[in-house]
Amino acid sequence: QVQLVESGGGLVQAGGSLRLSCAASGRTLSSLAIGWFRQAPGKEREFVGAISRSGSNTYYVDSVKSRFTLSRDNSRNTVYLQMNNLEPEDTAIYYCAARITISDLIYSGKDDYAYWGQGTQVTVSS
């Protein structure tokens, strides 16, 4: 079993930055591909970005490219989502998700991930 705990959310003004963390336990992070998703009120949960098991590969949805950056510290069993130049449209609950894998692929579908965190709220004021 894999447990994921997100942290780092909060209230920030438009143009500001936040760094979200996803701490994994139950499995070494180096065996996990990680994805980030978000869900705004009344909307479907949507893909934000993903990072491969080694960290060599990343992929982002177009709306966050150049503003969001994924990184991972396998020694700390933690993945980070650095979010810069935040916009009110980024307001959502952010979830990290994990997939046990031996490949270095990245995954963008909700169904690709078996393990989910509880989410952390990000609110961007205009």
Side-chain angles (χ1 to χ4, degrees), residues 6-124:
E6 303 95 335
S7 61
L11 173 63
V12 64
Q13 288 188 328
S17 297
L18 284 173
R19 187 177 78 160
L20 305 185
S21 299
C22 173
S25 61
R27 192 98 181 181
T28 56
L29 191 64
S30 59
S31 65
L32 304 175
I34 300 292
W36 282 89
F37 294 77
R38 65 186 180 186
Q39 188 165 18
K43 294 190 175 181
E44 296 281 325
R45 190 172 299 190
E46 66 171 358
F47 172 77
V48 174
I51 187 166
S52 65
R53 185 172 59 90
S54 72
S56 298
N57 301 308
T58 56
Y59 178 72
Y60 305 91
V61 68
D62 285 347
S63 60
V64 308
K65 277 179 186 174
S66 79
R67 300 189 298 123
F68 290 12
T69 303
L70 279 163
S71 62
R72 60 193 294 154
D73 185 342
N74 285 350
S75 67
R76 295 179 180 268
N77 258 30
T78 301
V79 171
Y80 303 100
L81 178 64
Q82 178 68 43
M83 307 187 297
N84 298 328
N85 194 20
L86 282 161
E87 304 169 351
E89 293 74 23
D90 296 317
T91 295
I93 300 174
Y94 282 71
Y95 300 89
C96 67
R99 174 189 177 102
I100 298 172
T101 182
I102 60 172
S103 77
D104 210 35
L105 298 177
I106 50 178
Y107 303 89
S108 61
K110 293 189 292 291
D111 292 343
D112 292 326
Y113 296 94
Y115 305 99
W116 292 80
Q118 82 291 347
T120 185
Q121 176 71 49
V122 171
T123 303
V124 184

